[in-house]
Amino acid sequence: MLGDLRGGVRMALRRWPTMLSLAAMIALVCVVLAFVLADVLVQFKALRGGHELRERGAVVFKPYYGSTDPTAAPERAVSDLVDMVQQERAYTAVLNNVRVDEPSFADEVPTVVFIGSELEATMPELELCDPVPCAMRGAEVSQRVGAVELAGHTFGATEQLPGSATYFDASRGAVPLDERLVLNLPAESLPHLNRMEREEAMTRAVLLEASDSELDSFIAGSAAGGLYLVPSHIAVDQPQRLAEIMVMSAMHVAGLASFLGLVLVALAATVRQTLHRQRAVFAIRRTHGAGRGHIAVRLAGFVGIVVLVPPLPLLAGIRLIGGPLSSGAVWVLALLAVTFLSLWSWAVKQQRGDEPKGR
Protein backbone atom coordinates (compact mmCIF):
# COMPACT_ATOMS: atom_id res chain seq x y z
CA MET A 1 0.00 0.00 0.00
CA LEU A 2 2.84 2.43 0.79
CA GLY A 3 4.23 1.83 -2.67
CA ASP A 4 0.88 2.73 -4.20
CA LEU A 5 0.72 5.84 -2.01
CA ARG A 6 4.16 6.93 -3.18
CA GLY A 7 3.15 6.13 -6.75
CA GLY A 8 0.21 8.52 -6.47
CA VAL A 9 2.48 11.25 -5.10
CA ARG A 10 4.95 10.75 -7.96
CA MET A 11 2.08 10.89 -10.45
CA ALA A 12 1.19 14.35 -9.12
CA LEU A 13 4.80 15.55 -8.97
CA ARG A 14 5.34 14.74 -12.64
CA ARG A 15 2.88 17.59 -13.32
CA TRP A 16 4.37 19.81 -10.65
CA PRO A 17 3.85 23.24 -12.30
CA THR A 18 0.07 22.77 -12.47
CA MET A 19 -0.23 20.86 -9.21
CA LEU A 20 1.99 23.30 -7.33
CA SER A 21 -0.10 26.24 -8.49
CA LEU A 22 -3.35 24.55 -7.45
CA ALA A 23 -1.89 23.46 -4.10
CA ALA A 24 -0.65 27.00 -3.39
CA MET A 25 -4.05 28.48 -4.14
CA ILE A 26 -5.83 25.91 -1.94
CA ALA A 27 -3.42 26.59 0.94
CA LEU A 28 -3.82 30.35 0.57
CA VAL A 29 -7.61 30.18 0.52
CA CYS A 30 -7.64 27.87 3.55
CA VAL A 31 -5.47 30.23 5.60
CA VAL A 32 -7.48 33.33 4.71
CA LEU A 33 -10.73 31.42 5.28
CA ALA A 34 -9.54 30.42 8.78
CA PHE A 35 -8.97 34.09 9.67
CA VAL A 36 -12.31 35.17 8.23
CA LEU A 37 -14.17 32.35 9.96
CA ALA A 38 -12.55 33.30 13.27
CA ASP A 39 -13.95 36.80 12.85
CA VAL A 40 -17.36 35.44 11.87
CA LEU A 41 -17.48 33.19 14.93
CA VAL A 42 -16.64 36.11 17.20
CA GLN A 43 -19.24 38.31 15.53
CA PHE A 44 -21.81 35.53 15.78
CA LYS A 45 -21.31 35.37 19.53
CA ALA A 46 -21.64 39.14 19.63
CA LEU A 47 -24.86 38.96 17.64
CA ARG A 48 -26.28 36.30 19.94
CA GLY A 49 -25.34 38.32 23.02
CA GLY A 50 -26.92 41.41 21.49
CA HIS A 51 -30.12 39.46 20.81
CA GLU A 52 -30.50 38.50 24.47
CA LEU A 53 -29.95 42.09 25.55
CA ARG A 54 -32.51 43.41 23.08
CA GLU A 55 -35.06 40.93 24.37
CA ARG A 56 -34.66 42.37 27.87
CA GLY A 57 -34.79 46.02 26.87
CA ALA A 58 -31.19 46.66 27.87
CA VAL A 59 -29.83 50.20 28.14
CA VAL A 60 -26.09 50.90 27.88
CA PHE A 61 -24.16 54.16 28.05
CA LYS A 62 -21.62 56.18 26.15
CA PRO A 63 -19.48 58.27 28.53
CA TYR A 64 -18.34 61.87 28.29
CA TYR A 65 -15.88 63.11 30.86
CA GLY A 66 -15.84 66.49 32.53
CA SER A 67 -12.07 66.31 33.14
CA THR A 68 -9.06 64.16 32.28
CA ASP A 69 -8.83 62.85 35.84
CA PRO A 70 -10.83 59.80 36.97
CA THR A 71 -14.27 60.92 38.07
CA ALA A 72 -15.58 60.27 41.55
CA ALA A 73 -18.87 58.48 41.04
CA PRO A 74 -21.18 59.73 43.83
CA GLU A 75 -22.16 57.23 46.47
CA ARG A 76 -25.81 57.58 45.49
CA ALA A 77 -25.23 56.57 41.87
CA VAL A 78 -23.03 53.65 42.93
CA SER A 79 -25.62 52.60 45.47
CA ASP A 80 -28.39 52.73 42.82
CA LEU A 81 -26.35 50.44 40.57
CA VAL A 82 -25.64 48.05 43.46
CA ASP A 83 -29.37 47.87 44.22
CA MET A 84 -30.27 47.09 40.61
CA VAL A 85 -27.56 44.43 40.40
CA GLN A 86 -28.86 42.82 43.59
CA GLN A 87 -32.39 42.92 42.16
CA GLU A 88 -31.05 41.10 39.07
CA ARG A 89 -31.92 44.03 36.78
CA ALA A 90 -28.37 45.09 35.93
CA TYR A 91 -24.80 43.94 35.61
CA THR A 92 -21.50 45.59 34.79
CA ALA A 93 -17.87 44.87 33.94
CA VAL A 94 -14.40 46.38 34.18
CA LEU A 95 -12.41 45.39 31.11
CA ASN A 96 -9.50 47.82 30.81
CA ASN A 97 -8.74 49.42 34.15
CA VAL A 98 -8.38 46.60 36.67
CA ARG A 99 -5.38 47.73 38.70
CA VAL A 100 -3.78 49.46 35.70
CA ASP A 101 -1.50 51.27 38.12
CA GLU A 102 -0.16 47.91 39.39
CA PRO A 103 1.63 46.22 36.44
CA SER A 104 2.48 43.13 38.52
CA PHE A 105 -1.14 42.55 39.53
CA ALA A 106 -2.26 38.92 38.97
CA ASP A 107 1.22 37.97 37.76
CA GLU A 108 0.77 40.40 34.84
CA VAL A 109 -2.18 38.43 33.45
CA PRO A 110 -4.77 40.85 31.97
CA THR A 111 -7.74 40.85 34.32
CA VAL A 112 -11.41 41.66 33.90
CA VAL A 113 -14.07 42.03 36.57
CA PHE A 114 -17.71 40.99 36.22
CA ILE A 115 -20.40 42.05 38.66
CA GLY A 116 -23.97 40.75 38.53
CA SER A 117 -25.62 37.35 38.19
CA GLU A 118 -27.65 38.54 35.22
CA LEU A 119 -24.48 38.51 33.13
CA GLU A 120 -24.46 34.72 33.28
CA ALA A 121 -28.21 34.58 32.66
CA THR A 122 -27.73 36.70 29.52
CA MET A 123 -24.61 34.87 28.34
CA PRO A 124 -24.86 31.30 29.74
CA GLU A 125 -22.18 30.07 27.35
CA LEU A 126 -19.59 31.87 29.51
CA GLU A 127 -20.14 29.26 32.27
CA LEU A 128 -18.98 31.64 34.99
CA CYS A 129 -17.97 30.24 38.34
CA ASP A 130 -20.37 30.18 41.27
CA PRO A 131 -20.86 31.20 44.06
CA VAL A 132 -19.31 34.64 43.96
CA PRO A 133 -16.72 35.87 44.74
CA CYS A 134 -14.70 33.51 42.58
CA ALA A 135 -12.07 33.59 39.84
CA MET A 136 -11.60 31.91 36.49
CA ARG A 137 -8.74 31.90 34.01
CA GLY A 138 -9.01 31.87 30.26
CA ALA A 139 -8.24 28.74 28.28
CA GLU A 140 -4.89 30.17 27.15
CA VAL A 141 -3.75 31.16 30.66
CA SER A 142 -1.83 28.00 31.40
CA GLN A 143 0.22 29.04 34.36
CA ARG A 144 -1.26 28.98 37.82
CA VAL A 145 -1.96 32.55 38.87
CA GLY A 146 -0.89 33.40 42.39
CA ALA A 147 -3.24 34.69 45.06
CA VAL A 148 -5.06 37.83 43.92
CA GLU A 149 -6.64 40.42 46.20
CA LEU A 150 -9.31 42.84 44.99
CA ALA A 151 -12.16 44.74 46.63
CA GLY A 152 -11.64 42.98 49.96
CA HIS A 153 -11.64 39.48 48.47
CA THR A 154 -8.74 37.06 48.06
CA PHE A 155 -8.76 34.65 45.14
CA GLY A 156 -6.60 31.55 45.34
CA ALA A 157 -7.61 28.60 43.17
CA THR A 158 -9.01 29.48 39.75
CA GLU A 159 -11.32 27.44 37.55
CA GLN A 160 -10.82 27.48 33.79
CA LEU A 161 -13.16 29.08 31.28
CA PRO A 162 -14.16 27.07 28.20
CA GLY A 163 -12.07 27.68 25.09
CA SER A 164 -12.99 30.70 22.94
CA ALA A 165 -15.11 32.17 25.76
CA THR A 166 -16.19 35.64 24.67
CA TYR A 167 -17.86 38.47 26.55
CA PHE A 168 -20.19 40.69 24.58
CA ASP A 169 -19.85 44.37 25.36
CA ALA A 170 -22.52 46.48 23.70
CA SER A 171 -20.08 49.29 22.94
CA ARG A 172 -16.91 47.37 22.21
CA GLY A 173 -18.36 44.19 20.70
CA ALA A 174 -16.89 40.75 21.31
CA VAL A 175 -14.16 40.57 23.97
CA PRO A 176 -12.19 37.26 23.89
CA LEU A 177 -11.36 35.95 27.37
CA ASP A 178 -8.91 33.18 26.50
CA GLU A 179 -5.89 35.19 27.69
CA ARG A 180 -7.50 36.90 30.66
CA LEU A 181 -8.16 36.30 34.33
CA VAL A 182 -11.84 36.77 35.22
CA LEU A 183 -12.89 37.88 38.69
CA ASN A 184 -16.60 37.39 39.39
CA LEU A 185 -17.56 39.74 42.23
CA PRO A 186 -20.76 40.32 44.22
CA ALA A 187 -22.61 43.63 43.91
CA GLU A 188 -21.40 44.78 47.33
CA SER A 189 -17.84 44.87 45.98
CA LEU A 190 -18.56 47.75 43.61
CA PRO A 191 -17.98 50.57 46.17
CA HIS A 192 -14.64 48.98 47.13
CA LEU A 193 -13.10 49.25 43.66
CA ASN A 194 -10.66 52.09 43.09
CA ARG A 195 -11.71 55.25 41.27
CA MET A 196 -10.71 54.18 37.76
CA GLU A 197 -12.29 50.75 38.14
CA ARG A 198 -15.47 52.21 39.58
CA GLU A 199 -15.67 54.79 36.80
CA GLU A 200 -15.43 52.09 34.13
CA ALA A 201 -17.96 49.95 35.98
CA MET A 202 -20.42 52.84 35.87
CA THR A 203 -19.88 53.44 32.14
CA ARG A 204 -20.20 49.74 31.26
CA ALA A 205 -23.34 49.24 33.35
CA VAL A 206 -26.12 47.39 31.52
CA LEU A 207 -29.55 48.19 32.93
CA LEU A 208 -32.26 45.62 32.21
CA GLU A 209 -35.92 46.61 32.08
CA ALA A 210 -35.15 49.86 33.91
CA SER A 211 -37.94 52.42 34.32
CA ASP A 212 -37.54 55.99 33.07
CA SER A 213 -37.23 57.29 36.61
CA GLU A 214 -34.48 54.79 37.46
CA LEU A 215 -32.66 55.67 34.27
CA ASP A 216 -32.92 59.41 34.94
CA SER A 217 -31.74 58.95 38.53
CA PHE A 218 -28.71 56.91 37.44
CA ILE A 219 -27.68 59.43 34.79
CA ALA A 220 -28.18 62.42 37.08
CA GLY A 221 -26.26 60.76 39.89
CA SER A 222 -23.29 60.02 37.62
CA ALA A 223 -23.33 63.54 36.18
CA ALA A 224 -23.06 64.94 39.70
CA GLY A 225 -19.59 63.36 39.87
CA GLY A 226 -18.52 64.68 36.45
CA LEU A 227 -19.29 61.49 34.54
CA TYR A 228 -21.82 62.25 31.84
CA LEU A 229 -23.57 59.19 30.43
CA VAL A 230 -25.60 59.15 27.22
CA PRO A 231 -28.07 56.24 27.25
CA SER A 232 -28.48 53.92 24.29
CA HIS A 233 -31.34 51.45 23.96
CA ILE A 234 -29.87 48.33 22.37
CA ALA A 235 -33.18 47.30 20.83
CA VAL A 236 -33.16 50.56 18.85
CA ASP A 237 -29.49 51.25 18.12
CA GLN A 238 -27.73 47.88 17.81
CA PRO A 239 -29.64 45.63 15.33
CA GLN A 240 -28.65 47.57 12.22
CA ARG A 241 -24.97 47.76 13.17
CA LEU A 242 -24.76 44.08 14.06
CA ALA A 243 -26.65 43.09 10.94
CA GLU A 244 -24.17 45.03 8.81
CA ILE A 245 -21.25 43.27 10.52
CA MET A 246 -22.73 39.84 9.88
CA VAL A 247 -23.60 40.61 6.25
CA MET A 248 -20.06 41.84 5.60
CA SER A 249 -18.54 38.74 7.24
CA ALA A 250 -20.89 36.43 5.32
CA MET A 251 -19.88 38.12 2.04
CA HIS A 252 -16.21 37.49 2.77
CA VAL A 253 -16.86 33.81 3.55
CA ALA A 254 -19.05 33.36 0.47
CA GLY A 255 -16.41 35.01 -1.75
CA LEU A 256 -13.60 32.81 -0.45
CA ALA A 257 -15.75 29.67 -0.63
CA SER A 258 -16.61 30.49 -4.24
CA PHE A 259 -12.95 30.99 -5.11
CA LEU A 260 -12.06 27.71 -3.39
CA GLY A 261 -14.83 26.02 -5.38
CA LEU A 262 -13.36 27.31 -8.65
CA VAL A 263 -9.90 26.06 -7.67
CA LEU A 264 -11.32 22.64 -6.85
CA VAL A 265 -13.13 22.54 -10.19
CA ALA A 266 -9.82 23.26 -11.91
CA LEU A 267 -8.17 20.53 -9.83
CA ALA A 268 -10.96 18.07 -10.71
CA ALA A 269 -10.45 18.82 -14.41
CA THR A 270 -6.71 18.21 -14.02
CA VAL A 271 -7.33 14.96 -12.16
CA ARG A 272 -9.74 13.81 -14.86
CA GLN A 273 -7.23 14.62 -17.60
CA THR A 274 -4.43 12.86 -15.71
CA LEU A 275 -6.52 9.72 -15.18
CA HIS A 276 -7.30 9.66 -18.88
CA ARG A 277 -3.61 9.90 -19.78
CA GLN A 278 -2.66 7.30 -17.17
CA ARG A 279 -5.30 4.74 -18.20
CA ALA A 280 -2.64 2.45 -19.63
CA VAL A 281 -0.66 2.55 -16.39
CA PHE A 282 -3.76 1.64 -14.38
CA ALA A 283 -4.58 -1.16 -16.81
CA ILE A 284 -1.07 -2.60 -16.40
CA ARG A 285 -1.37 -2.32 -12.62
CA ARG A 286 -4.65 -4.19 -12.73
CA THR A 287 -3.16 -6.86 -15.02
CA HIS A 288 -0.33 -7.45 -12.54
CA GLY A 289 -2.71 -8.06 -9.68
CA ALA A 290 -3.37 -4.63 -8.20
CA GLY A 291 -6.80 -4.62 -6.57
CA ARG A 292 -9.21 -1.75 -6.34
CA GLY A 293 -7.87 -0.97 -2.89
CA HIS A 294 -4.38 -0.43 -4.29
CA ILE A 295 -5.73 1.85 -7.01
CA ALA A 296 -7.75 3.79 -4.42
CA VAL A 297 -4.64 4.28 -2.26
CA ARG A 298 -2.67 5.50 -5.31
CA LEU A 299 -5.40 8.04 -6.04
CA ALA A 300 -5.43 9.09 -2.37
CA GLY A 301 -1.74 9.93 -2.65
CA PHE A 302 -2.35 11.77 -5.92
CA VAL A 303 -5.18 13.93 -4.54
CA GLY A 304 -3.84 14.26 -1.00
CA ILE A 305 -0.44 15.70 -2.00
CA VAL A 306 -2.31 18.66 -3.53
CA VAL A 307 -5.33 19.11 -1.26
CA LEU A 308 -4.00 18.14 2.18
CA VAL A 309 -0.23 18.45 2.42
CA PRO A 310 0.24 22.21 1.79
CA PRO A 311 -2.58 23.57 3.99
CA LEU A 312 -2.27 21.16 6.95
CA PRO A 313 0.97 22.59 8.49
CA LEU A 314 -0.33 26.13 8.06
CA LEU A 315 -3.68 25.36 9.67
CA ALA A 316 -1.97 23.45 12.48
CA GLY A 317 0.16 26.53 13.16
CA ILE A 318 -2.93 28.74 13.27
CA ARG A 319 -4.58 26.21 15.58
CA LEU A 320 -1.71 26.65 18.05
CA ILE A 321 -2.32 30.41 18.25
CA GLY A 322 -5.49 29.65 20.18
CA GLY A 323 -8.56 31.80 20.73
CA PRO A 324 -11.05 32.39 17.90
CA LEU A 325 -8.32 31.64 15.33
CA SER A 326 -8.11 28.11 16.70
CA SER A 327 -11.84 27.60 16.17
CA GLY A 328 -11.60 29.03 12.66
CA ALA A 329 -8.74 26.64 11.83
CA VAL A 330 -10.71 23.66 13.16
CA TRP A 331 -13.67 24.50 10.91
CA VAL A 332 -11.40 24.84 7.87
CA LEU A 333 -9.69 21.55 8.73
CA ALA A 334 -13.10 19.88 8.79
CA LEU A 335 -13.97 21.48 5.44
CA LEU A 336 -10.64 20.35 4.01
CA ALA A 337 -11.23 16.77 5.15
CA VAL A 338 -14.68 16.73 3.53
CA THR A 339 -13.21 18.23 0.34
CA PHE A 340 -10.46 15.63 0.17
CA LEU A 341 -12.85 12.72 0.73
CA SER A 342 -15.28 14.05 -1.87
CA LEU A 343 -12.58 14.65 -4.48
CA TRP A 344 -10.88 11.33 -3.77
CA SER A 345 -14.19 9.41 -4.00
CA TRP A 346 -14.96 11.20 -7.25
CA ALA A 347 -11.51 10.31 -8.66
CA VAL A 348 -11.95 6.64 -7.68
CA LYS A 349 -15.35 6.58 -9.34
CA GLN A 350 -13.96 8.20 -12.47
CA GLN A 351 -11.10 5.70 -12.69
CA ARG A 352 -13.43 2.74 -12.19
CA GLY A 353 -15.77 4.15 -14.80
CA ASP A 354 -12.95 4.13 -17.36
CA GLU A 355 -12.14 0.44 -16.90
CA PRO A 356 -15.07 -1.22 -18.69
CA LYS A 357 -14.98 1.40 -21.43
CA GLY A 358 -11.38 0.56 -22.19
CA ARG A 359 -10.46 4.24 -22.50
Side-chain angles (χ1 to χ4, degrees):
M1 287 294 182
L2 285 177
D4 288 295
L5 191 65
R6 288 194 295 269
V9 173
R10 286 196 297 270
M11 191 166 64
L13 294 180
R14 289 193 196 101
R15 296 153 184 79
W16 67 268
T18 302
M19 293 303 185
L20 182 62
S21 301
L22 293 171
M25 284 190 284
I26 291 173
L28 178 63
V29 171
C30 287
V31 169
V32 177
L33 194 57
F35 279 87
V36 174
L37 275 179
D39 183 62
V40 170
L41 292 173
V42 170
Q43 298 302 339
F44 176 75
K45 288 184 178 181
L47 183 66
R48 189 167 56 182
H51 174 75
E52 295 294 331
L53 292 176
R54 290 196 300 275
E55 290 293 313
R56 301 197 59 182
V59 178
V60 297
F61 303 92
K62 183 176 182 179
Y64 287 92
Y65 303 96
S67 68
T68 55
D69 296 326
T71 59
E75 294 296 331
R76 179 185 171 185
V78 175
S79 177
D80 287 346
L81 181 56
V82 170
D83 290 341
M84 285 189 282
V85 171
Q86 290 176 330
Q87 295 168 14
E88 299 183 343
R89 294 191 297 118
Y91 66 84
T92 189
V94 183
L95 305 179
N96 301 322
N97 293 312
V98 178
R99 293 297 188 265
V100 290
D101 52 349
E102 298 179 24
S104 61
F105 181 75
D107 294 338
E108 301 182 4
V109 176
T111 304
V112 301
V113 166
F114 293 144
I115 298 176
S117 59
E118 284 308 283
L119 170 59
E120 185 172 9
T122 307
M123 305 176 199
E125 67 275 8
L126 281 179
E127 301 181 18
L128 293 176
C129 55
D130 188 62
V132 294
C134 54
M136 304 187 75
R137 55 189 167 88
E140 301 297 325
V141 181
S142 56
Q143 76 273 22
R144 296 187 64 82
V145 180
V148 175
E149 293 186 13
L150 187 75
H153 303 288
T154 300
F155 303 90
T158 57
E159 301 177 26
Q160 193 165 34
L161 284 163
S164 301
T166 303
Y167 170 73
F168 172 73
D169 182 80
S171 302
R172 184 173 165 178
V175 180
L177 300 176
D178 282 348
E179 299 178 351
R180 296 171 181 248
L181 176 68
V182 174
L183 304 182
N184 199 11
L185 300 181
E188 300 79 22
S189 302
L190 184 56
H192 301 290
L193 298 176
N194 65 30
R195 292 182 65 178
M196 294 184 68
E197 295 162 348
R198 198 162 56 242
E199 177 189 275
E200 185 179 350
M202 297 296 288
T203 62
R204 295 195 186 280
V206 178
L207 307 188
L208 304 170
E209 301 167 349
S211 65
D212 290 341
S213 60
E214 290 174 323
L215 188 58
D216 291 341
S217 175
F218 182 74
I219 293 173
S222 300
L227 179 61
Y228 305 101
L229 301 176
V230 178
S232 173
H233 294 263
I234 288 182
V236 177
D237 301 332
Q238 294 293 321
Q240 183 63 34
R241 186 172 73 86
L242 292 175
E244 290 174 355
I245 292 173
M246 291 305 296
V247 169
M248 186 63 66
S249 299
M251 288 177 63
H252 289 159
V253 172
L256 286 171
S258 300
F259 181 68
L260 179 60
L262 291 175
V263 173
L264 293 176
V265 168
L267 176 59
T270 304
V271 170
R272 184 72 188 93
Q273 186 181 46
T274 302
L275 293 180
H276 181 69
R277 291 177 176 174
Q278 294 288 312
R279 62 190 186 282
V281 175
F282 285 111
I284 294 172
R285 294 278 305 159
R286 294 282 287 166
T287 303
H288 286 76
R292 291 188 170 181
H294 293 83
I295 300 299
V297 171
R298 178 173 286 255
L299 291 175
F302 177 56
V303 176
I305 192 65
V306 179
V307 176
L308 293 180
V309 173
L312 281 181
L314 299 174
L315 292 174
I318 296 174
R319 177 82 171 84
L320 293 177
I321 295 175
L325 279 176
S326 177
S327 300
V330 169
W331 279 101
V332 177
L333 283 170
L335 174 64
L336 199 63
V338 172
T339 300
F340 166 72
L341 291 175
S342 301
L343 196 58
W344 173 56
S345 301
W346 176 83
V348 171
K349 185 177 179 181
Q350 289 294 311
Q351 194 280 329
R352 289 177 180 174
D354 284 347
E355 290 183 2
K357 298 175 184 176
R359 292 188 296 179

